[in-house]
Amino acid sequence: MSAQEIKVPDIGDFDSVEVIEVLVSEGDTVEQEQPLITLESDKATLEVPSTVAGKITELKVSEGSTVSEGDVIAMIEAGEESGGDESQDDGDEQAQESGDDASEDESSEATEQASGDEQSGGGETVEVKVPDIGDFDSVEVIEVLVSEGDEVEKEQPLITLESDKATLEVPSTEAGTISELKVSEGSTVSEGDVIALLQSAGGSKSSGGDKKPEPGTASQDDKPVEADVSGGDPSKLKSVDEERFGKAHASPSVRKYARELGADLGNVKGSGHKGRITFEDVQSYVKGALDQVQSGKGAGTAAPAGGGGVPAQPDIDFSQFGEVEVTELPRIRKISAKAVHKNWLLIPHVTQFDNADITEMEAFRQANKEKAKADGVKLTPLAFLLKASAAALKKFPDLNSSLTADGEHLVHKKYVNIAVAVDTPNGLLMPVIKDVDKKGIYQIARDLVDVSGRAREGKIKGDDMKGACFSISSLGGVGGTAFTPIVNSPEVGILGVSKHSWQPVWNGSEFEPRLLLPLSFSYDHRVIDGAKAARITGFISEKLSDLRTLLL
């Protein structure tokens, strides 16, 4: 008996897909449709089943290797029950060796098949039972996937079971028509329980237009509305088509998860068995939608209410609790709300807190405030913070960088532009001070007064808001001891400043009053780790504490 080649089937628009798991070993006996390997691309995970039953004689792939459509993954010595030309030849040889007994068996088998084909109702009635499900007993049926009268294929899932440890599907052992269902949602079953009676198809379903779809695809009836799993349209996250959502091929837990994220399952292409939608499919779809928001590709479509992400804010009638008044959100605040929400979703934030001793800095500022005023300069602590931050951007190149869209490289900038949060009557604006590293304290102070004034008067220009490498948000004039500012993508850091206060500090022999300024440094943890963040805040504190190192 010669070995047969098991090849990678049509897996869509994928090429050189990675093998992430080999599910069998050489010498193993496998059944038809038993998964042999698991493939994973950047869009989906799918299993490649055996096309015949038999014994694995040679594996052609290993974990970590890549395959494409048509590649041989294993050699199998097919069993007699697998059909095909080779098994037929073997049967002929056995018939000749065994004489009349084998001929009688073949004749009987042919008669049974012809009889089955002539019956209008299909073949015999088959009981589909709960298979071995491990150490589980009285497991709850959480979903019935078919109805009486439905035509099903072999291995098509009929029900979904869920215990406190796992969720699993019970497939049909034959192709045919469901004549009676023995279970319903909420009932419990154990190994061996009958879940359905099936009028078998007598083998006729495997031909013609009812050909079983390849793994990872859906049948024509069950196939959901296709959408690129890696690039969902953000506009499709804002509403759910209940009819399509209800028809989507997914378990209740996946449906619940999709609703929590605001994803319409009708737009998600399933990568599971028979096109079933998995948790990973929902995650990939939502990630694709958010990636479009980040890249600006979704600019022509409306983003979900409440920001550029999910889930959307529920619409509540607050008037049922008392008198209300509805006012429109200012245009600038609408824009900033979407940006802040997007940044919070896309960037893994961490915030480092520290205190800077600005006793000497404040003494210097107060001593020179009148002189600066005579020169037309308003000398504020923020000017010194800008200068210290510029020094940090020069000292730590990763702080003055941005991740590329694929997340694989850093773009290091040779210029130092810093955005400053300005509270205006219409909302928060972030004008940018250019080339801070090349300017002195007086020039920085002049630029601050200029951009802040124009921002509050509504005269700020578009170019004044672009090109920032880093941001500073100061609440020192308002109050508070610390907060967690949100990083403005594509920047990787932002410095929050709270109100300074006099505190007793031990100098080695006694406590003395020192003026401490709270710093809150939020950063993108993909680029900056905790140790570096602590060094950055320490460096800024040192510059603010010793003006000689800051101004020279």
Side-chain angles (χ1 to χ4, degrees):
M1 184 181 300
S2 61
Q4 296 189 31
E5 293 180 339
I6 305 299
K7 299 181 179 181
V8 178
D10 180 7
I11 51 178
D13 298 327
F14 299 121
D15 189 34
S16 298
V17 183
E18 183 179 3
V19 178
I20 64 170
E21 190 176 12
V22 179
L23 305 172
V24 294
S25 303
E26 292 182 358
D28 286 357
T29 299
V30 298
E31 299 176 349
Q32 188 174 1
E33 297 298 329
Q34 179 176 333
L36 303 182
I37 62 173
T38 304
L39 307 179
E40 186 175 77
S41 71
D42 58 344
K43 296 182 179 180
T45 301
L46 63 155
E47 296 176 337
V48 177
S50 176
T51 53
V52 296
K55 183 179 180 180
I56 302 288
T57 59
E58 184 181 359
L59 283 171
K60 298 288 190 177
V61 296
S62 58
E63 290 186 11
S65 58
T66 57
V67 295
S68 302
E69 180 183 345
D71 287 352
V72 178
I73 60 175
M75 303 296 294
I76 291 185
E77 189 173 85
E80 294 180 9
E81 67 275 18
S82 64
D85 295 337
E86 294 180 359
S87 57
Q88 182 64 45
D89 292 340
D90 292 341
D92 292 342
E93 293 174 4
Q94 291 175 5
Q96 293 174 4
E97 294 173 0
S98 302
D100 295 339
D101 290 342
S103 300
E104 290 174 4
D105 290 342
E106 290 180 3
S107 176
S108 175
E109 188 175 313
T111 301
E112 289 177 6
Q113 180 174 349
S115 175
D117 290 340
E118 291 172 0
Q119 293 179 12
S120 60
E124 63 181 356
T125 299
V126 177
E127 290 183 340
V128 181
K129 299 180 179 181
V130 178
D132 180 6
I133 52 177
D135 298 329
F136 299 118
D137 191 35
S138 298
V139 183
E140 183 179 2
V141 178
I142 64 168
E143 188 175 19
V144 178
L145 305 172
V146 294
S147 302
E148 292 183 357
D150 285 356
E151 291 188 359
V152 298
E153 298 175 342
K154 185 178 180 180
E155 299 298 328
Q156 179 176 334
L158 303 182
I159 62 173
T160 303
L161 307 179
E162 187 173 78
S163 70
D164 58 345
K165 295 181 179 179
T167 300
L168 64 156
E169 296 174 335
V170 177
S172 176
T173 54
E174 300 285 344
T177 303
I178 301 291
S179 59
E180 184 180 355
L181 282 171
K182 297 289 190 179
V183 296
S184 59
E185 290 187 12
S187 58
T188 57
V189 295
S190 301
E191 179 182 347
D193 288 352
V194 177
I195 61 174
L197 296 181
L198 184 77
Q199 194 75 17
S200 71
S204 62
K205 278 187 69 65
S206 61
S207 63
D210 293 327
K211 181 180 179 181
K212 181 186 296 183
E214 296 288 352
T217 66
S219 65
Q220 188 63 32
D221 292 335
D222 293 336
K223 192 172 184 179
V225 178
E226 291 190 8
D228 188 350
V229 179
S230 66
D233 188 333
S235 66
K236 294 179 182 177
L237 294 179
K238 67 179 180 179
S239 62
V240 172
D241 185 318
E242 292 297 336
E243 183 177 356
R244 290 190 307 181
F245 193 100
K247 292 181 179 179
H249 193 26
S251 68
S253 54
V254 171
R255 292 176 185 276
K256 179 181 178 183
Y257 183 63
R259 286 195 183 277
E260 290 174 350
L261 296 181
D264 188 347
L265 289 182
N267 294 319
V268 181
K269 184 178 181 180
S271 63
H273 187 66
K274 306 295 183 185
R276 191 171 184 80
I277 299 171
T278 66
F279 284 98
E280 290 77 14
D281 295 331
V282 176
Q283 291 169 349
S284 296
Y285 178 77
V286 173
K287 180 181 181 298
L290 293 178
D291 286 344
Q292 284 202 0
V293 173
Q294 182 183 26
S295 64
K297 293 180 181 178
T301 58
V310 289
Q313 177 79 12
D315 192 7
I316 301 173
D317 180 13
F318 295 101
S319 62
Q320 61 183 309
F321 309 116
E323 185 179 353
V324 299
E325 179 185 1
V326 179
T327 60
E328 187 175 0
L329 202 64
R331 185 182 65 86
I332 292 177
R333 190 155 295 175
K334 289 179 183 177
I335 296 172
S336 63
K338 293 178 181 179
V340 168
H341 193 77
K342 178 198 72 174
N343 292 334
W344 181 252
L345 287 172
L346 296 175
I347 298 174
H349 282 72
V350 181
T351 303
Q352 172 73 21
F353 302 101
D354 209 338
N355 285 322
D357 187 337
I358 60 168
T359 308
E360 276 74 28
M361 186 198 86
E362 184 60 15
F364 175 86
R365 190 180 74 86
Q366 292 294 340
N368 289 273
K369 186 163 64 171
E370 292 303 320
K371 180 179 180 298
K373 187 176 181 180
D375 290 339
V377 176
K378 184 179 181 180
L379 197 59
T380 64
L382 188 52
F384 294 90
L385 283 162
L386 278 159
K387 190 67 176 176
S389 297
L393 289 166
K394 300 283 284 187
K395 175 70 174 179
F396 301 94
D398 285 353
L399 183 60
N400 194 16
S401 72
S402 290
L403 271 170
T404 55
D406 59 9
E408 299 290 334
H409 303 86
L410 282 178
V411 178
H412 290 97
K413 302 156 191 173
K414 303 302 182 181
Y415 53 89
V416 178
N417 301 336
I418 301 178
V420 179
V422 177
D423 189 17
T424 75
N426 294 320
L428 193 69
L429 292 178
M430 300 289 292
V432 179
I433 309 296
K434 307 291 178 63
D435 298 321
V436 181
D437 59 320
K438 300 177 182 179
K439 296 175 180 178
I441 290 292
Y442 275 26
Q443 185 57 51
I444 293 173
R446 288 190 184 95
D447 289 352
L448 266 174
V449 171
D450 174 52
V451 297
S452 299
R454 288 191 288 114
R456 294 189 180 96
E457 295 169 2
K459 298 179 180 179
I460 201 76
K461 299 178 181 179
D463 289 343
D464 294 326
M465 306 281 288
K466 298 178 181 178
C469 309
F470 186 71
S471 296
I472 297 178
S473 179
S474 177
L475 298 177
V478 180
T481 57
F483 65 105
T484 55
I486 298 176
V487 178
N488 296 308
S489 176
E491 302 163 32
V492 298
I494 180 172
L495 182 66
V497 184
S498 298
K499 187 176 182 179
H500 57 64
S501 62
W502 288 97
Q503 298 182 30
V505 177
W506 183 255
N507 63 13
S509 58
E510 61 180 354
F511 284 101
E512 63 174 322
R514 304 297 294 180
L515 189 61
L516 300 184
L517 181 68
L519 303 178
S520 305
F521 170 52
S522 290
Y523 55 93
D524 187 335
H525 207 359
R526 297 173 298 179
V527 179
I528 299 173
D529 57 32
K532 183 173 290 185
R535 294 188 185 99
I536 290 172
T537 56
F539 179 85
I540 294 175
S541 298
E542 178 187 353
K543 291 295 180 182
L544 295 174
S545 300
D546 189 350
L547 289 183
R548 293 170 301 177
T549 63
L550 179 63
L551 300 178
L552 293 178

